[in-house]
Amino acid sequence: MGSSRRTAPGACTETGRSQGMRRRGDVLERAILDAALEQLGVAGWKGLTIEGVAARAQTGKAAVYRRWASKSELVQDALRAGVPPLETQPDRGSLRADLTEFCRALRDRMYSSGGQALRAVLDECDREQAEQFHEVIIGQIIDPGKELIAELLRRGVERGDVRPEVNGDLVLDVLPAMMMYRHKTTGRDLSDKDMDELVDQVMVPLLQGQ
């Protein structure tokens, strides 16, 4: 980085290695976590190796193993650090406006480097492997998103544009589940038009009824 000579992705030059080995503490740890997220996005869970992460971070394998005993421990911390939080939204004055803004924030999170890494883990891990990431996936990703949707619904009930009887986990799951399904089945990034149709044709009729 900063050199005019290009190297293949993941390649580690002597200069890069010496620069990496001089880094310490949080700076080196952040570089390793970023490298793990990048390799997950490129190579997936099965293709991620400690050697590949070390090369991308321009450091040695020993520096990685001193901090993480296994690939799964490294990936757990990378996901914790790399998936951006969902921020509490201001009241936009209507259910449609609140949902549209939330959809776009959730989409940005899905397509962040951390979001792409998370999808690689979910797509490739079997049930037993996925259990290792249960706390990260549920505690830091799914539950916070559901809490924000629940807040939007409470706000809508108070305004009178959400039916009071609409509640429960299934309702809270609809929006993120639909977004993931549409992305997976179409094989393309979700557009603003996709978001508008999801809000107007699914969420608003579901939450407002007749």
Side-chain angles (χ1 to χ4, degrees):
M1 191 175 296
S3 170
S4 60
R5 185 175 62 182
R6 295 181 62 84
T7 58
C12 184
T13 64
E14 290 303 315
T15 300
R17 182 176 293 278
S18 65
Q19 289 173 345
M21 295 303 285
R22 285 199 296 269
R23 289 173 295 173
R24 295 290 185 271
D26 292 345
V27 175
L28 178 56
E29 184 170 306
R30 179 73 251 185
I32 294 170
L33 293 174
D34 286 345
L37 289 176
E38 184 180 356
Q39 193 177 46
L40 274 169
V42 172
W45 163 259
K46 293 177 182 175
L48 182 143
T49 63
I50 297 298
E51 292 83 355
V53 170
R56 284 184 181 275
Q58 297 186 338
T59 189
K61 286 192 298 181
V64 181
Y65 280 118
R66 276 197 298 270
R67 292 162 174 82
W68 297 278
S70 68
K71 168 177 161 176
S72 63
E73 288 180 12
L74 170 60
V75 170
Q76 287 178 55
D77 279 353
L79 292 175
R80 287 190 186 98
V83 178
L86 283 168
E87 304 292 340
T88 301
Q89 294 180 209
D91 190 337
R92 297 302 183 191
S94 73
L95 174 64
R96 186 185 188 282
D98 281 351
L99 287 173
T100 299
E101 182 168 323
F102 179 81
C103 278
R104 283 159 172 70
L106 189 58
R107 180 183 60 182
D108 290 345
R109 197 184 199 208
M110 283 176 58
Y111 296 142
S112 68
S113 60
Q116 292 172 344
L118 174 63
R119 292 202 306 277
V121 170
L122 293 175
D123 288 346
E124 295 185 45
C125 284
D126 59 31
R127 185 181 181 86
E128 184 176 342
Q129 290 172 325
E131 283 295 319
Q132 302 172 77
F133 306 104
H134 185 268
E135 180 271 327
V136 178
I137 294 168
I138 301 297
Q140 288 196 232
I141 296 164
I142 294 177
D143 283 351
K146 291 171 75 168
E147 287 169 10
L148 282 181
I149 297 172
E151 174 58 29
L152 297 187
L153 298 190
R154 286 192 293 269
R155 189 186 296 169
V157 170
E158 292 172 2
R159 280 195 308 257
D161 59 3
V162 171
R163 290 181 290 135
E165 68 271 21
V166 175
N167 53 42
D169 276 352
L170 284 177
V171 173
L172 301 182
D173 284 339
V174 171
L175 184 54
M178 284 291 295
M179 290 177 66
M180 290 293 289
Y181 175 81
R182 289 288 293 173
H183 170 83
K184 197 171 184 68
T185 57
T186 63
R188 60 175 176 78
D189 290 353
L190 297 169
S191 66
D192 286 348
K193 183 177 181 232
D194 293 323
M195 299 293 92
D196 291 341
E197 289 179 350
L198 177 55
V199 169
D200 292 334
Q201 298 178 24
V202 178
M203 296 307 299
V204 170
L206 171 66
L207 298 174
Q208 291 185 337
Q210 296 298 322

